[in-house]
Structures are given as structure tokens and as C-alpha cells.
Amino acid sequence: MTQVYNFGAGPAMLPAEVMQKAQREFLDYQGMGTGLIEISHRSPEFEAVLNRCDELLIELANIPSNYKILYVHGGAQMQFSAVPLNLLGRSPSKSASYIETGTWGVKARKEAARFGNATTAASSADSGFDRIPAFDPASLPADTAYLHITSNNTLYGTRWHSFPQTGDVPLVADMTSEFLSRELDISQFGVIFAGLQKNLGPAGLAVVIIREDLLGHALEQTPALLDYSVYAGSHSLSNTNNTFAIYMMGLVLEWVKEQGGVATLEAQNEAKAQLLYDVIDASEFYLGVADPAHRSIMNVTFNLAKPELLDAFVNQALEHGLYALKGHRDVGGARASIYNAMPVAGCEALAAFMRDFERDNA
Ligand code: PMP
């Protein structure tokens, strides 16, 4: 196989070692003569996989003991429904606040509005979502069930560098595009959720980390399979869960541990992103999308000063083994998604290509 680097936003590249291990074990899991995905979700073998995922998540993300880890169907957007269904009941007026820092935050608020009052506490729409807006937590109404943020904005390449102190109002964070890429104080959050398809494994499932006291407030109409208490009470096995995705996540978590854990990956992620931001900052040919003070280390977004060259940029990059650099259709331009699994060499190769392309086309 020729070496390629996949800069796609998700589903995204997974560590090569993980893919190889999954391939080796696919037909014959631990000498059983059958694949893990062919056996019961209630078998001891799968239970061991699930327990190991819990153990590794607690260790790697430093999750305090008063939090539950849930494996919830439907990916990240399903949590846009599940969060209000589970938490709005905490507020007499069924009110929640949302900070809009991009498409995903807007979608999350619109979904919550189906079940209660979902208001916009702050937004950076006016500046094209190029930053995290200023926000004063004291402005939250007293009966707010929760404040929802998107911690890393996949499309625009911005992230929250520090988080709002919301006191008694639980902070809910969509961490889909950055979970396990940086060290966090989990106790700042009421709920964290992340679709698996960037830093954790295959698409279609989300990890939800919820403070225990927030369970048990689901609205009456909440479908059982969106009720976080049902997941918490059944170790996420109230029905047949996605055993393959959970197994793959387990392999990814082992890999994260082998790399030295989240702190090591965070330092590497900072360095990888810097390689690309250095090219952008030294150039008038590439124009960064995100305000430098709010830049993401997972999604690096930029435009070309000559936008007519974008297709040539993306296509020539492809010829150099640099895949999927086209920006999201809502934003345009180019985007390099550089999750945990992207090696430093991939960012070095892209930085070199960008310099060469600028030299040839400026
Ligand atoms: N939130 C964020 C921050 C995302 O990046 C994405 C997907 N790119 C989603 C939500 C939606 O994820 P899913 O397709 O799993 O619903």
C-alpha cells in the first residue's frame, strides 16, 4: 500500500496499528474460531470488552467516580435530542441555553426547541463563526436546565480554550471532534458527549459522560432508547448495542494508552497544528479562517487568496497522497482535520506541500 494521509473530518483515519489488529482478529477473536461481532452482546467476551472501555476511559479522560459512562446509539446528533429530553425536566419552564459557534450548535438548539425553550445565549454567526463569542455566565436565567456548547467546531476550526464557569447550571459539551485530544477537568461539565467517528472509532455511536445527579429527569415522552437512565441502568445493553463500534473503540483506547495517554497526544496535537498554522501565518497566499486566539488543534481551516486555485490545490494534494482537504460545503476553502491518529509526518508532508504549492502559484 502506498502511504497516504487522510485529512477527512470524519469518519476519519484511525491508527494503522488499530486497523491491523482488528483485521487480524476479525475472523478469529482470541482463538474462539469466530469473530467478536458474531457473538452475543451479553457474552463474557463482549462484556470484557465493554468493561475495558469503561476502565480505559476513566483512566485516560480522568473521569471522576460520580460520573456514568454511556454508549448511546445514533451518533452525536442523536444527543442533540437526547440531551434536552433528559435534562429539560430540571427546569420548571423547560428552558435551556445554547452558545452558537457553528452549524452543530445551531442544529442542537433547533432540536432542543422541539421539546422546550431553547434560547441562544451567545453567537458568533455575525463574524462567520470565526471565533468563540464573549459570554457572561451571570446572564443565564436562574431556571436554565443546562448550557450547551460545542467545544471544538469541526467546520470552522475554532475551539474553546477555557470553559465558562456556569455554577449550578450544568455545562453540556459536544466534544465530538476533540474528545481525548486534550486534558480536561471533567468536573467542570454536567454532560460531555462525543460521536465516535473522529478520535474514537467508527461512526454511529456516541460516548456520553454524565454526572450522576443529572440522571432521572427525563421528560415523560422520552423514548426508552434515548433515556440516559436506561443506559446507565443496563450498562448500555438494554438492547443489542453496536458491539463492533465498541470493540473498535476499545482498540483505539488501548492505542491512546500506549502512546502515553492524553497529555502526550495533546502536546503532539499542538505541535502538529503549529506546523500548519506556521505556514498560514507566514503567507499571504493562505488565509486562516479562525481568529488565531480561538484556533482548533483538530481542524485547521484556511482559504486561498486566489480561490480559483482551490480545486487545483485539493487535486494536486491528492496526487501527493494528501486526502480530503476540501473544506465543508457550508464554509468552503480548505480544511485539514488532524485528529489523534494523524502522525506528525502527515502534517509535515502537508506543510511541505503547501509551501511548494504557494511557491509555484503565488
Ligand atoms: N457535532 C460535531 C462537533 C460534529 O463535528 C459532528 C459531525 N461532524 C456532529 C456533531 C454530528 O455527528 P453525527 O454525524 O455522529 O451525528
Side-chain angles (χ1 to χ4, degrees), residues 285-334:
F285 185 80
Y286 299 110
L287 310 169
V289 171
D291 181 304
H294 302 262
R295 280 171 168 169
S296 166
I297 55 169
M298 292 283 97
N299 309 98
V300 176
T301 49
F302 52 96
N303 286 306
L304 301 192
K306 297 178 184 171
E308 66 279 11
L309 291 179
L310 182 67
D311 285 345
F313 176 84
V314 170
N315 293 333
Q316 284 182 34
L318 200 59
E319 289 164 17
H320 286 75
L322 307 170
Y323 281 27
L325 284 163
K326 201 163 183 145
H328 189 275
R329 60 189 180 280
D330 285 359
V331 186

Side-chain angles (χ1 to χ4, degrees), residues 232-298:
S234 64
H235 202 187
S236 302
L237 290 178
S238 131
N239 79 326
T240 316
N241 210 323
N242 186 340
T243 55
F244 184 63
I246 292 171
Y247 159 72
M248 288 297 289
M249 177 170 57
L251 297 185
V252 172
L253 296 173
E254 297 284 8
W255 177 86
V256 171
K257 186 173 159 74
E258 282 159 23
Q259 302 312 296
V262 173
T264 306
L265 287 176
E266 178 172 10
Q268 192 173 305
N269 289 330
E270 297 269 4
K272 278 154 50 184
Q274 200 56 49
L275 287 168
L276 304 181
Y277 288 128
D278 281 348
V279 176
I280 292 168
D281 289 342
S283 145
E284 286 171 11
F285 185 80
Y286 299 110
L287 310 169
V289 171
D291 181 304
H294 302 262
R295 280 171 168 169
S296 166
I297 55 169
M298 292 283 97

